Amino acid sequence: MAGELRNLRNQKKKIVFTNGVFDILHRGHVDYLRKAKSLGDILVVGMNTDSSVKKIKGPHRPIQNQNDRAVILASLKSVDFVIFFDESTPDNLIHFVKPDVLVKGADYKLEQIAGADFVKSYGGKVKRIKLTSGRSTSKILAKL
């Protein structure tokens, strides 16, 4: 992966990074990832491993295992790379990727976004994207 990122940088490609659980993929996710991709050339998605999801969301999550979630995410036209991370935040992964643009949902305040200070320290941008109203995994699970 490091070599691929280096090659993309040499080609002057703008690398965008976002992260999440992406357990039950829905329209809100698709809209969000499409908007994130529009901010650059390459979209790298950091995806929580199953063990990190359990720590964040509780013992009954994720619904789908990490390999299935990764295959589904990688099949989207807007997603170029999916990389697992096992920590509570994607800080280490953000340091590894060193994106030109770091993206999170607008439901996060700037100071809550992991890696924001690091990305800004080298001139990268941090963007917050408005989420699609009424679309969430929690709502889907409640309906089920």
Side-chain angles (χ1 to χ4, degrees), residues 62-82:
I63 303 300
Q64 300 185 88
N65 71 56
Q66 65 192 36
N67 293 327
D68 288 351
R69 291 184 287 126
V71 167
I72 293 166
L73 265 182
S75 73
L76 296 176
K77 184 168 51 170
S78 57
V79 176
D80 297 292
F81 297 98
V82 177

Side-chain angles (χ1 to χ4, degrees), residues 52-66:
S52 70
V53 173
K54 286 186 186 319
K55 291 175 193 165
I56 298 166
K57 304 281 187 180
H60 301 294
R61 297 280 301 274
I63 303 300
Q64 300 185 88
N65 71 56
Q66 65 192 36

Side-chain angles (χ1 to χ4, degrees), residues 108-131:
Y108 283 82
K109 294 179 180 161
L110 190 59
E111 60 272 8
Q112 295 174 307
I113 299 174
D117 289 338
F118 172 70
V119 171
K120 290 191 298 185
S121 76
Y122 57 79
K125 306 276 186 239
V126 179
K127 301 285 185 178
R128 295 165 54 238
I129 293 177
K130 184 178 179 196
L131 302 178

Side-chain angles (χ1 to χ4, degrees), residues 3-96:
E4 290 177 85
L5 289 171
R6 191 171 32 260
N7 288 339
L8 292 167
R9 288 192 195 296
N10 289 339
Q11 295 171 38
K12 305 293 186 217
K13 299 291 185 183
K14 187 183 228 182
I15 298 171
V16 179
F17 178 89
T18 193
N19 68 282
V21 171
F22 302 102
D23 193 3
I24 304 285
L25 201 64
H26 54 75
R27 179 184 167 190
H29 289 131
V30 174
D31 291 347
Y32 172 80
L33 292 166
R34 184 179 38 76
K35 290 174 188 173
K37 173 68 177 251
S38 75
L39 298 172
D41 302 305
I42 302 296
L43 179 60
V44 177
V45 178
M47 194 185 76
N48 294 81
T49 61
D50 292 347
S51 62
S52 70
V53 173
K54 286 186 186 319
K55 291 175 193 165
I56 298 166
K57 304 281 187 180
H60 301 294
R61 297 280 301 274
I63 303 300
Q64 300 185 88
N65 71 56
Q66 65 192 36
N67 293 327
D68 288 351
R69 291 184 287 126
V71 167
I72 293 166
L73 265 182
S75 73
L76 296 176
K77 184 168 51 170
S78 57
V79 176
D80 297 292
F81 297 98
V82 177
I83 306 173
F84 297 123
F85 69 97
D86 199 39
E87 301 82 15
S88 58
T89 73
D91 270 323
N92 291 333
L93 187 51
I94 292 166
H95 280 74
F96 172 75

